[in-house]
């Protein structure tokens, strides 16, 4: 066993009680994206007790106040900046047996956040772990990875509190990644029989809010005087479903809408129906192409009933792409830690979930792999952190070992990955500028006095 590995294992186990206590606390205090204030304050207090000085997103006077923070660990020698991050937000899932106020950490972000505290504590417990490393380690806790509550987040954008729906891309916008060269994080996995897993990346998406506008009337006495927004939405969604056979499987397109419900009594023709959905795909070309088709189908539902339609298309998350060299480095570390039969890295498979970590990989090399220890179905009512030591302590060990592998020997491995990586965009600024073409926020259907109907599907 190498000396640095031994020090990392001992330090990780020494701080395990602190990390596991945090995992339970955050599980019991779930908060959805951009509302993680209790989690934020809890973690900041723990970081400050360890001697860190967090840079708080809610203290940044240039922008609106949101949860989240980062702190830098300087190795004392010049080199690249490695960002290690974890997520804080929970999900709306009121039917989970342990939900609080309708929310639960059914994706394991509580374990991620606790892991970040464990990493921070381990580096303080044994600062000699940094001996021989160069560069800077940025430890970051980000809000709002789950793209949910679109109407609420749209309101935050209108108020100027945020500019983007996702926490990482919002942090990019605020400049918190401007001096970062390479990034990584570890998610929580429900796979059984192994300790670590990874795929080559995940698909991206555009987020959509479609609001059908009708006219209310008495549902029994004068339904002919109304325009049923619910029916218009149902017809639009049926048209979208009829497009599914035109989708190409290679593009991994996914369309999964929800109707937010009517805000009226049963004896009233509904005058509004809000639909939220994503248009997902493995590449931006496919996402843009299919999004236009879905908007056309949604408009058809409005036209058939005579309803109005407002569509808000919002940049979601970019397709996620992991650097192969980075993957191999992490895989070797994980195998050395737990054994080859406990590690599953798949270099040809892409997951069909999405993460705002994809936005990070558009501008720099990044890797998100998984630590097992959860059970049940991700985002499901039977999801639990069944083995917190595997989900948290194993993750602390693995991330510290990857950190050392990247930054030792004059950061040779990190520099090789950075130098050979070909990002889709040369800078955060240019990437954010490219997202403007995805934005649509306007009334789609116009009824003219002469009986003509105009459908506006572009800005």
């Amino acid at each position: 066993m190498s000396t640095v590995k031994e020090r990392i294992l001992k330090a990780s186990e020494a701080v395990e009680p602190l990390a596991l206590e945090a995992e339970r606390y955050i599980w019991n205090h779930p908060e959805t994206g951009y509302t993680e204030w209790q989690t934020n304050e809890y973690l900041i207090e723990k970081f400050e007790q360890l001697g860190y000085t967090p840079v708080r997103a809610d203290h940044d006077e240039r922008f609106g106040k949101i949860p989240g923070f980062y702190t830098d660990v300087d190795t004392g020698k010049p080199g690249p900046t490695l960002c290690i991050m974890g997520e804080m937000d929970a999900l709306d899932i009121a039917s989970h047996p342990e939900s609080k106020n309708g929310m639960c950490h059914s994706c394991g972000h509580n374990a991620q956040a606790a892991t970040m505290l464990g990493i921070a504590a381990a580096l303080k417990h044994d600062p000699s772990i940094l001996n021989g490393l160069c560069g800077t380690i940025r430890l970051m806790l980000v809000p709002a990875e789950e793209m949910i509550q679109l109407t609420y987040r749209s309101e935050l954008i209108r108020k100027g509190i945020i500019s983007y729906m996702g926490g990482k891309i919002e942090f990019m916008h605020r400049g918190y990644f401007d001096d970062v060269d390479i990034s990584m994080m570890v998610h929580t996995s429900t796979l059984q029989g192994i300790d670590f897993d990874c795929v080559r990346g995940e698909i991206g998406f555009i987020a959509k809010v479609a609001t059908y506008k009708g006219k209310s009337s008495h549902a029994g006495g004068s339904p002919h005087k109304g325009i049923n927004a619910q029916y218009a939405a149902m017809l639009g969604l049926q048209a979208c479903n009829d497009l599914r056979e035109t989708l190409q499987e290679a593009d991994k397109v996914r369309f999964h809408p929800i109707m937010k419900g009517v805000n009226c009594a049963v004896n009233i023709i509904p005058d509004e129906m809000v639909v939220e959905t994503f248009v997902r795909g493995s590449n931006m070309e496919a996402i843009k192409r299919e999004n236009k088709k879905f908007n056309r189908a949604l408009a058809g539902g409005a036209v058939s009933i005579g309803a109005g339609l407002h569509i808000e298309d919002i940049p979601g998350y970019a397709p996620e792409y992991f650097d192969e060299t980075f993957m191999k480095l992490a895989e070797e570390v994980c195998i050395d830690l737990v054994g080859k039969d406990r590690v599953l890295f798949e270099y040809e498979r892409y997951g069909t979930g999405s993460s705002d970590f994809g936005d990070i990989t558009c501008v720099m090399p990044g890797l998100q792999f998984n630590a097992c220890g959860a059970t049940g179905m991700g985002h499901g009512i039977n999801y639990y952190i069944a083995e917190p030591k595997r989900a948290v302590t194993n993750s602390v060990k693995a991330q510290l070992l990857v950190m050392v592998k990247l930054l030792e020997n004059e950061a040779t491995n990190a520099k090789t990955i950075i130098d050979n990586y070909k990002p889709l965009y040369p800078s955060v600024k240019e990437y954010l500028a490219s997202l403007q073409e995805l934005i649509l926020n306007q009334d789609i259907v116009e009824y003219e006095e002469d009986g003509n109907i105009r459908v506006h599907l572009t800005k």
Side-chain angles (χ1 to χ4, degrees):
M1 180 183 291
S2 67
T3 303
V4 67
K5 179 181 176 182
E6 185 175 26
R7 291 200 300 269
I8 285 173
L9 298 187
K10 287 183 177 179
S12 300
E13 289 162 6
V15 303
E16 182 179 78
L18 175 67
L20 297 189
E21 179 184 4
E23 183 271 321
R24 282 296 87 192
Y25 176 89
I26 299 170
W27 173 270
N28 288 318
H29 297 82
E31 300 160 298
T32 52
Y34 293 123
T35 72
E36 309 99 321
W37 292 111
Q38 195 166 9
T39 301
N40 190 64
E41 293 305 314
Y42 173 85
L43 290 169
I44 284 175
E45 180 180 357
K46 297 296 184 182
F47 269 72
E48 289 178 338
Q49 289 173 353
L50 290 168
Y52 292 98
T53 303
V55 177
R56 302 175 56 137
D58 62 337
H59 288 183
D60 192 334
E61 296 182 355
R62 300 171 299 164
F63 305 100
K65 294 184 178 181
I66 60 171
F69 63 93
Y70 70 86
T71 187
D72 286 344
V73 180
D74 190 352
T75 65
K77 298 175 66 176
T81 296
L82 164 67
C83 181
I84 306 175
M85 68 192 82
E87 299 155 352
M88 300 190 297
D89 57 322
L91 286 161
D92 277 323
I93 183 164
S95 53
H96 193 286
E98 294 190 13
S99 69
K100 305 290 192 305
N101 299 318
M103 297 170 287
C104 184
H105 277 284
S106 290
C107 201
H109 293 181
N110 60 309
Q112 286 185 46
T115 294
M116 292 305 301
L117 179 59
I119 291 170
L123 292 175
K124 289 293 186 179
H125 180 82
D126 188 353
S128 70
I129 292 171
L130 299 174
N131 291 351
L133 306 187
C134 68
T136 301
I137 301 103
R138 176 162 294 178
L139 305 179
M140 180 180 287
L141 274 298
V142 293
E145 187 273 336
E146 301 290 354
M147 182 68 84
I148 59 175
Q149 301 174 329
L150 303 186
T151 304
Y152 166 69
R153 295 192 194 182
S154 292
E155 184 64 23
L156 293 182
I157 291 175
R158 282 190 282 272
K159 290 179 178 178
I161 295 173
I162 60 174
S163 295
Y164 295 93
M165 293 283 196
K168 295 183 192 68
I169 192 170
E170 178 68 20
F171 271 28
M172 291 169 72
H173 165 68
R174 294 176 179 227
Y176 302 161
F177 284 93
D178 284 356
D179 50 353
V180 173
D181 301 293
I182 184 170
S183 296
M184 75 170 183
M185 62 175 290
V186 172
H187 206 284
T188 315
S189 174
T190 60
L191 287 183
Q192 304 300 307
I194 58 173
D195 289 312
F196 297 102
D197 71 279
C198 185
V199 294
R200 189 61 184 270
E202 292 189 320
I203 61 178
F205 67 89
I206 289 175
K208 184 185 305 296
V209 180
T211 303
Y212 286 89
K213 295 287 188 177
K215 181 180 178 181
S216 61
S217 66
H218 194 291
S222 55
H224 57 287
K225 295 182 179 180
I227 298 175
N228 196 313
Q230 178 175 250
Y231 288 171
M234 292 167 64
L235 286 168
L237 293 180
Q238 181 60 54
C240 290
N241 281 328
D242 290 342
L243 289 171
R244 292 186 187 276
E245 66 181 22
T246 72
L247 307 179
Q248 300 176 59
E249 186 54 32
D251 294 324
K252 292 183 167 39
V253 176
R254 301 290 188 272
F255 180 80
H256 44 88
I258 58 170
M259 299 173 70
K260 299 296 287 185
V262 295
N263 188 26
C264 67
V266 68
N267 58 354
I268 300 173
I269 296 296
D271 66 351
E272 181 177 277
M273 174 59 70
V274 178
V275 176
E276 291 186 0
T277 189
F278 295 167
V279 178
R280 301 188 196 243
S282 61
N283 59 85
M284 288 309 302
E285 291 75 16
I287 293 171
K288 294 175 187 177
R289 180 184 68 243
E290 303 305 334
N291 184 61
K292 291 179 181 178
K293 290 161 59 175
F294 286 126
N295 280 351
R296 186 181 66 220
L298 292 169
V303 169
S304 65
I305 293 290
L309 173 63
H310 184 95
I311 290 181
E312 184 176 9
D313 281 344
I314 308 147
Y317 301 154
E320 192 176 48
Y321 176 81
F322 302 146
D323 178 79
E324 184 174 347
T325 304
F326 201 169
M327 281 184 70
K328 289 180 177 177
L329 182 148
E331 182 182 26
E332 291 172 2
V333 166
C334 292
I335 289 173
D336 184 55
L337 180 63
V338 298
K340 188 176 180 63
D341 61 334
R342 305 291 298 179
V343 177
L344 177 63
F345 275 54
E346 300 178 81
Y347 290 84
E348 302 300 325
R349 189 170 78 85
Y350 284 81
T352 51
S354 303
S355 167
D356 54 357
F357 196 83
D359 299 285
I360 303 297
T361 65
C362 282
V363 298
M364 70 180 72
L367 178 64
Q368 178 177 198
F369 61 103
N370 303 308
C372 303
T375 188
M377 180 67 68
H379 291 210
I381 63 172
N382 62 344
Y383 183 97
Y384 294 94
I385 304 297
E387 299 177 82
K389 291 188 177 183
R390 291 176 63 218
V392 177
T393 310
N394 268 6
S395 181
V396 172
K397 294 173 181 177
Q399 293 190 74
L400 287 171
L401 289 167
V402 171
M403 175 196 76
V404 169
K405 195 77 171 177
L406 288 169
L407 300 181
E408 67 184 355
N409 300 323
E410 304 300 323
T412 300
N413 286 323
K415 290 176 181 177
T416 297
I417 293 170
I418 294 164
D419 291 344
N420 292 334
Y421 190 70
K422 294 179 175 59
L424 293 177
Y425 298 88
S427 69
V428 170
K429 181 179 180 180
E430 290 179 79
Y431 171 61
L432 295 180
S434 75
L435 298 179
Q436 296 306 306
E437 66 175 289
L438 304 178
I439 297 173
L440 180 67
N441 190 356
Q442 65 186 31
D443 291 332
I444 301 300
V445 180
E446 178 185 1
Y447 298 93
E448 299 182 342
E449 291 184 2
D450 61 6
N452 288 325
I453 302 172
R454 292 186 181 274
V455 177
H456 307 279
L457 295 177
T458 58
K459 294 182 183 179

